[in-house]
Amino acid sequence: MSQDSEPHLEDDVQPSNNPPNSSVVEPNLDTSRLRSPSKGDSGKDAVASYAFDQNVAKKKLARMIIMHEYPLSMVEHEAFREFSTALQPAFKSVSRNTIKKEILQIYDVEKMKTISILAANNCRIALTTDLWTASSQRKGYMAVTSHFIDESWCLQSRILRFIYVPCPHTAETICEALHDCVMDWNLDRRLSALTVDNCSTNDKVIEFMLEKLNKNDLLLNGQLYHMRCYAHILNLIVKDGLAVIGDGIERIRDSVAYWVATPKRKERFVEAARQLNIEYKQMLVLDCKTRWNSTYIMLTVASKYKTVFSHLSARDRQYKSVPQEKDWELASKLEDNLRKFYEVTEMFSGTNYPTTNLFFLEVCEIRLSLSDWLTSESEVIRKMAENMIQKHEHYWGVLHGVMAVATILDPRYKLKLIGFYFDSLFGKPDSEFHIRRAFKLCHDLVDEYTLKFKVNEGSSTYGESASSSSSSRLVKSICRSKKQAERLSSFDAYVNETNPIFRSELDAYLDEKILPNTVDFDILTWLKANGNKMTLHASSTYNAG
C-alpha cells in the first residue's frame, strides 16, 4: 500500500445480542442516512435527520488536530480507527499524508480569508515578530503577527507567517524573511510600526527594512516605525535588578527543587501541609533562572508553605537546604516589589485587549515605584532599584512617540496625564519640553494624514456629508495627474500655514473636558461612537473662522 493511499478498515460484523425492539442499527442497513423518529408523547426532542459526508468528517478531523496540536500519526493509530468506526462505520480511515493535505487546504482557505480582511480594511497594520527555536529539532522559526482595528473598531490579530529561518540568524537573513512576508501580503504601503525584542541584531533588522521600504509610505517617514517590545524591556530591567541578590534566594530554590524532584516527595509535602492545616491550593513550581517572572511565581507559592518546609526539615535527614528566616524576609520583599512588574508584564503580553493608551501610565508608575525602592530599609532592594533605574532610563528616558500619541488620544488622559507624571519625574522645565514634543508629534500626524489621505482621495477634509453633491462627484470622477495631486497637497499645507484662525480636529478634541478615569473604559468603543462628532466639532470651528 502506498503512503498516500487511504486505507479503509472494513467492519467486523458480529452477531447481534440485542433484543428485537433495540434501537441499535443492524450492520446491513445503510448507515449513511439515519432518520430518528419524530417527537413522541414523551415530550423529548428527537434527533434531526442526518446525512453522513466523508469530506465534512475529514475536515472536522483536520480542524481537531490543528486546534489541539495532535500529531498527524494519530489517524493511523489502531485504537483511533476503532473508535471512529464505532462512531460512524461509513467513515473511511485516512493516512497521515491525506490529513496533512487536508490541513494545508484549510490553511489556504484561512489565508485567503485573512487576505480579504486585510485588503478590505482601510487602517494601517502593525506587525510583531520574534524568532522561536524548536527544542526537538533545534531549528529556528520566525512568527509574524499582524495587529489592526477592523471596521467595527475591534482589535484584531492575525498570524501571517510561521516560517523556518536557516542559520545563521543574522540581521540580513531575518530582514529578508520579514520583507518577503510584508511583500507577499501586500502590506509594504500600509505599515504603521514593527515591534521586535530589544537586541542589536533587531536594531540592524529595522535599519535594513527601512532601506527596503519607501519611507514616504510610513508614518512621518519612518520616525515611529521601530517599536521595542515593552514586555521584553521589563524583562531586561528586572533581570538586572535580580542580579544584585545573587544567592539570596538560593536556599528557597534548592528547597523547591528537592520537594518536586519525585512524586513520592510531592506526596509527602502535600501530606505535611494537610497535617499543619495549610490548604494546598497551589503546587510548588521550580523557576527558570533566565525568566524572572517564573522566579516571582516560585517565591509567591513557596512563601505560602514556609511552615511546611520547616516542619519537614526535622523529618527528613536528606533535606539540607532549609531556608532561614532572613531568606523568607527577602522573598517577601521581592514578592511585594515585583508584583507590579509581574502584573504589567501580563497586561502587555495579552492579545485581545492591550491598546497602546494603557502603556504610558504603567511605565510611569513603574518608574515612580523604583524611586520608592531607593528609600527602602533593605540594602538589597536599594541596590536593585539603582540597577533597574539605570536600565529604565536607558530605554524609557524619552517617551516613545506612539505611546505619547496614544495617551493624548485617550479622552480620559489627553495632555493632562503626560503633564501630571512628567512633573513628578522630571520637574517643570523638562516636563514642559516633553509635553510640547508630544503635542507637536500629534499635530504632525494629523497634518500628514490630511495631506496624504484626505486630499488624495478627493474628499473634503472636514464636514463632508454622507451623500456627495453633484459637483463633488464630478471632482472625484476626474483623473488627476501626479503633479496636480502634489500641488493640491502643497496648497492644503499653504492654507494651514496662512490661516491663523484654523483650528484642527485635534485642537477641538483637546479643548473638551477629559472623561472620568474608569477602569472598564474601552477606548475603541469610545472612538467608534465619537469619531464623527469630533470631526463635526472641528468642522464648525473651522467654518466659523
Side-chain angles (χ1 to χ4, degrees), residues 357-402:
N357 62 303
L358 303 175
F359 292 2
F360 172 77
L361 186 150
E362 300 301 339
V363 170
C364 291
E365 282 295 324
I366 283 176
R367 179 61 179 83
L368 292 174
S369 296
L370 292 177
S371 296
D372 292 339
W373 292 16
L374 291 173
T375 61
S376 172
E377 296 178 356
S378 170
E379 183 180 358
V380 173
I381 299 298
R382 292 197 301 271
K383 287 183 177 179
M384 282 182 61
E386 291 172 1
N387 278 23
M388 295 168 75
I389 287 175
Q390 185 177 0
K391 182 73 75 172
H392 187 281
E393 293 304 302
H394 176 70
Y395 293 119
W396 284 329
V398 177
L399 179 65
H400 191 282
V402 171

XYZ file of all heavy atoms in Angstrom, residues 357-402:
385
model
N -2.658 52.963 24.552
C -3.009 54.002 25.514
C -2.877 53.530 26.959
O -2.826 54.348 27.882
C -4.441 54.488 25.281
C -5.457 53.381 25.468
O -5.379 52.345 24.814
N -6.415 53.595 26.342
N -2.791 52.220 27.174
C -2.662 51.685 28.527
C -1.222 51.715 29.034
O -0.977 51.589 30.231
C -3.165 50.232 28.561
C -4.593 49.972 28.094
C -4.879 48.472 28.076
C -5.588 50.684 29.005
N -0.258 51.885 28.125
C 1.130 51.662 28.491
C 1.757 52.810 29.277
O 2.494 52.586 30.234
C 1.973 51.404 27.234
C 1.663 50.107 26.537
C 0.665 49.270 26.999
C 2.366 49.721 25.417
C 0.371 48.082 26.359
C 2.090 48.523 24.767
C 1.089 47.701 25.247
N 1.497 54.047 28.862
C 2.194 55.193 29.455
C 2.012 55.243 30.966
O 2.983 55.414 31.724
C 1.692 56.487 28.820
C 2.210 57.729 29.489
C 3.496 58.167 29.275
C 1.398 58.458 30.346
C 3.985 59.300 29.903
C 1.862 59.601 30.972
C 3.166 60.019 30.745
N 0.782 55.120 31.414
C 0.507 55.193 32.847
C 1.295 54.135 33.611
O 1.887 54.417 34.665
C -0.999 55.030 33.089
C -1.507 55.208 34.511
C -2.936 55.752 34.481
C -1.524 53.868 35.262
N 1.325 52.901 33.077
C 2.000 51.817 33.778
C 3.517 52.002 33.778
O 4.189 51.704 34.776
C 1.643 50.474 33.131
C 0.155 50.148 33.134
C -0.427 50.094 34.537
O 0.335 49.912 35.501
O -1.656 50.248 34.668
N 4.070 52.493 32.671
C 5.513 52.739 32.606
C 5.912 53.800 33.633
O 6.931 53.660 34.323
C 5.918 53.178 31.180
C 7.355 53.680 31.163
C 5.778 52.012 30.216
N 5.121 54.846 33.753
C 5.415 55.897 34.729
C 5.270 55.390 36.161
O 6.065 55.744 37.046
C 4.493 57.098 34.504
S 4.815 57.996 32.980
N 4.260 54.554 36.401
C 4.069 54.001 37.737
C 5.252 53.123 38.138
O 5.680 53.115 39.301
C 2.770 53.193 37.781
C 1.513 54.030 37.887
C 1.436 54.797 39.191
O 1.882 54.267 40.229
O 0.935 55.937 39.177
N 5.792 52.380 37.183
C 6.963 51.544 37.469
C 8.158 52.426 37.842
O 8.901 52.132 38.792
C 7.286 50.654 36.257
C 6.303 49.482 36.210
C 8.720 50.142 36.301
C 6.458 48.598 35.007
N 8.343 53.512 37.089
C 9.472 54.412 37.389
C 9.327 55.026 38.770
O 10.316 55.132 39.533
C 9.540 55.507 36.327
C 10.662 56.515 36.559
C 12.031 55.853 36.538
N 13.087 56.830 36.741
C 13.474 57.268 37.933
N 12.872 56.825 39.038
N 14.461 58.153 38.036
N 8.134 55.439 39.146
C 7.911 56.012 40.478
C 8.086 54.960 41.569
O 8.580 55.258 42.664
C 6.515 56.631 40.554
C 6.294 57.881 39.690
C 4.839 58.311 39.736
C 7.205 59.019 40.138
N 7.704 53.716 41.277
C 7.900 52.634 42.240
C 9.381 52.412 42.505
O 9.797 52.188 43.656
C 7.267 51.337 41.724
O 5.866 51.476 41.597
N 10.177 52.472 41.450
C 11.621 52.294 41.611
C 12.212 53.412 42.465
O 13.141 53.179 43.254
C 12.302 52.251 40.248
C 12.002 51.025 39.380
C 12.677 51.157 38.032
C 12.454 49.748 40.072
N 11.689 54.617 42.325
C 12.148 55.728 43.163
C 11.829 55.451 44.628
O 12.628 55.773 45.524
C 11.489 57.035 42.720
O 11.875 57.378 41.404
N 10.674 54.853 44.878
C 10.306 54.496 46.256
C 11.242 53.426 46.817
O 11.543 53.421 48.010
C 8.864 53.995 46.304
C 7.850 55.086 45.999
O 8.214 56.276 46.141
O 6.720 54.758 45.613
N 11.694 52.518 45.958
C 12.609 51.461 46.412
C 13.916 52.039 46.958
O 14.568 51.428 47.808
C 12.935 50.501 45.266
C 11.806 49.658 44.801
C 10.478 49.830 45.046
C 11.894 48.500 43.977
N 9.732 48.866 44.420
C 10.579 48.035 43.755
C 12.947 47.819 43.379
C 10.300 46.916 42.987
C 12.686 46.702 42.611
C 11.374 46.239 42.416
N 14.320 53.201 46.437
C 15.583 53.800 46.870
C 15.565 54.172 48.349
O 16.630 54.351 48.972
C 15.880 55.053 46.038
C 16.223 54.815 44.555
C 16.324 56.136 43.821
C 17.515 54.024 44.421
N 14.371 54.297 48.925
C 14.246 54.643 50.346
C 13.972 53.419 51.214
O 13.659 53.555 52.398
C 13.110 55.665 50.539
O 11.870 55.080 50.095
C 13.374 56.927 49.737
N 14.093 52.224 50.649
C 13.814 51.002 51.390
C 14.845 50.777 52.501
O 16.013 51.182 52.388
C 13.835 49.799 50.434
O 13.742 48.582 51.140
N 14.409 50.128 53.565
C 15.317 49.787 54.660
C 16.289 48.682 54.249
O 17.357 48.543 54.841
C 14.508 49.327 55.878
C 13.605 50.409 56.459
C 12.788 49.890 57.622
O 12.885 48.670 57.912
O 12.064 50.691 58.243
N 15.928 47.916 53.235
C 16.767 46.803 52.790
C 17.830 47.301 51.812
O 17.523 47.932 50.797
C 15.911 45.724 52.119
O 16.720 44.763 51.487
N 19.080 46.983 52.123
C 20.171 47.378 51.241
C 20.065 46.679 49.887
O 20.379 47.255 48.839
C 21.510 47.048 51.898
C 22.713 47.493 51.069
C 24.033 47.144 51.742
O 24.004 46.593 52.862
O 25.089 47.415 51.139
N 19.597 45.425 49.901
C 19.449 44.669 48.655
C 18.432 45.337 47.734
O 18.664 45.484 46.521
C 19.028 43.217 48.963
C 18.706 42.472 47.671
C 20.116 42.493 49.727
N 17.303 45.759 48.299
C 16.266 46.416 47.497
C 16.782 47.736 46.941
O 16.509 48.093 45.781
C 14.994 46.647 48.341
C 14.424 45.305 48.819
C 13.963 47.427 47.536
C 13.989 44.394 47.701
N 17.549 48.486 47.736
C 18.095 49.754 47.251
C 19.056 49.536 46.082
O 19.045 50.282 45.102
C 18.800 50.503 48.393
C 17.864 50.998 49.480
C 18.532 52.069 50.344
N 19.748 51.569 50.990
C 19.783 50.958 52.173
N 18.652 50.769 52.839
N 20.920 50.557 52.694
N 19.891 48.525 46.186
C 20.832 48.229 45.100
C 20.084 47.768 43.845
O 20.449 48.109 42.719
C 21.827 47.158 45.542
C 22.860 47.664 46.538
C 23.873 46.572 46.889
C 24.935 47.112 47.837
N 25.922 46.058 48.207
N 19.035 46.965 44.060
C 18.205 46.556 42.933
C 17.624 47.772 42.221
O 17.641 47.869 40.994
C 17.066 45.649 43.406
C 17.453 44.216 43.684
S 16.022 43.230 44.179
C 14.970 43.371 42.734
N 17.109 48.719 43.016
C 16.486 49.919 42.444
C 17.487 50.714 41.620
O 17.164 51.201 40.529
C 15.897 50.782 43.553
N 18.714 50.852 42.107
C 19.734 51.603 41.383
C 20.001 50.972 40.016
O 20.076 51.670 38.997
C 21.018 51.663 42.210
C 20.897 52.517 43.466
C 22.120 52.412 44.360
O 23.066 51.679 43.970
O 22.145 53.033 45.429
N 20.160 49.659 39.997
C 20.400 48.967 38.730
C 19.226 49.094 37.771
O 19.388 49.324 36.567
C 20.679 47.487 38.988
C 22.120 47.235 39.376
O 22.798 48.124 39.863
N 22.597 46.026 39.165
N 18.020 48.939 38.323
C 16.827 48.943 37.485
C 16.507 50.338 36.955
O 16.044 50.494 35.819
C 15.646 48.363 38.266
C 15.837 46.890 38.612
S 14.639 46.247 39.804
C 13.177 46.111 38.788
N 16.755 51.376 37.754
C 16.523 52.747 37.289
C 17.468 53.083 36.141
O 17.074 53.716 35.154
C 16.697 53.751 38.450
C 15.502 53.652 39.409
C 16.827 55.179 37.925
C 15.637 54.508 40.652
N 18.704 52.641 36.255
C 19.665 52.890 35.182
C 19.207 52.255 33.871
O 19.270 52.872 32.804
C 21.041 52.341 35.586
C 22.136 52.653 34.581
C 23.491 52.152 35.056
O 23.630 51.562 36.134
N 24.520 52.382 34.256
N 18.722 51.029 33.954
C 18.230 50.345 32.757
C 16.937 50.994 32.256
O 16.720 51.132 31.045
C 18.000 48.866 33.077
C 17.529 48.031 31.902
C 18.651 47.781 30.908
C 19.625 46.745 31.413
N 20.612 46.349 30.375
N 16.068 51.389 33.173
C 14.810 52.034 32.806
C 15.069 53.320 32.038
O 14.433 53.587 31.007
C 13.995 52.316 34.072
C 12.610 52.828 33.821
N 12.356 54.145 33.494
C 11.402 52.209 33.839
C 11.058 54.315 33.336
N 10.455 53.168 33.530
N 16.014 54.136 32.519
C 16.311 55.394 31.852
C 16.929 55.166 30.480
O 16.737 55.974 29.561
C 17.255 56.229 32.716
C 16.638 56.706 34.020
C 15.362 57.483 33.780
O 15.403 58.496 33.067
O 14.307 57.070 34.305
N 17.648 54.070 30.338
C 18.270 53.764 29.047
C 17.208 53.558 27.965
O 17.387 53.980 26.815
C 19.137 52.509 29.181
C 19.756 52.056 27.896
N 20.771 52.751 27.265
C 19.488 50.979 27.102
C 21.103 52.128 26.151
N 20.341 51.057 26.026
N 16.104 52.912 28.330
C 15.062 52.601 27.349
C 13.925 53.613 27.340
O 13.349 53.928 26.296
C 14.480 51.207 27.619
C 15.467 50.097 27.383
C 15.849 49.249 28.418
C 16.022 49.887 26.127
C 16.757 48.232 28.210
C 16.932 48.867 25.911
C 17.295 48.041 26.953
O 18.197 47.037 26.741
N 13.559 54.127 28.516
C 12.378 54.966 28.627
C 12.675 56.364 29.137
O 11.796 57.058 29.650
C 11.346 54.296 29.539
C 10.633 53.165 28.880
C 10.336 53.051 27.553
C 10.141 51.986 29.502
N 9.693 51.869 27.318
C 9.548 51.185 28.487
C 10.132 51.508 30.796
C 8.963 49.963 28.742
C 9.547 50.284 31.063
C 8.965 49.526 30.045
N 13.945 56.803 28.999
C 14.278 58.166 29.399
C 13.525 59.182 28.561
O 13.188 60.263 29.021
N 13.263 58.824 27.305
C 12.467 59.671 26.407
C 11.221 58.895 26.007
O 11.309 57.735 25.612
C 13.270 60.059 25.147
C 12.411 60.882 24.202
C 14.524 60.834 25.537
N 10.080 59.524 26.138
C 8.813 58.868 25.834
C 8.714 58.542 24.349
O 8.938 59.407 23.506
C 7.652 59.778 26.239
C 6.236 59.266 25.972
C 5.956 58.036 26.803
C 5.223 60.345 26.274
N 8.422 57.299 24.022
C 8.269 56.919 22.620
C 7.042 57.610 22.029
O 6.015 57.748 22.678
C 8.135 55.409 22.486
C 8.246 54.921 21.073
N 7.205 55.022 20.187
C 9.267 54.364 20.389
C 7.585 54.531 19.013
N 8.839 54.123 19.113
N 7.185 58.035 20.772
C 6.139 58.825 20.137
C 4.793 58.156 20.100
O 3.763 58.785 20.380
N 4.760 56.866 19.769
C 3.482 56.152 19.681
C 2.779 56.137 21.030
O 1.563 56.315 21.132
C 3.697 54.724 19.154
C 2.417 53.917 19.278
C 4.163 54.749 17.708
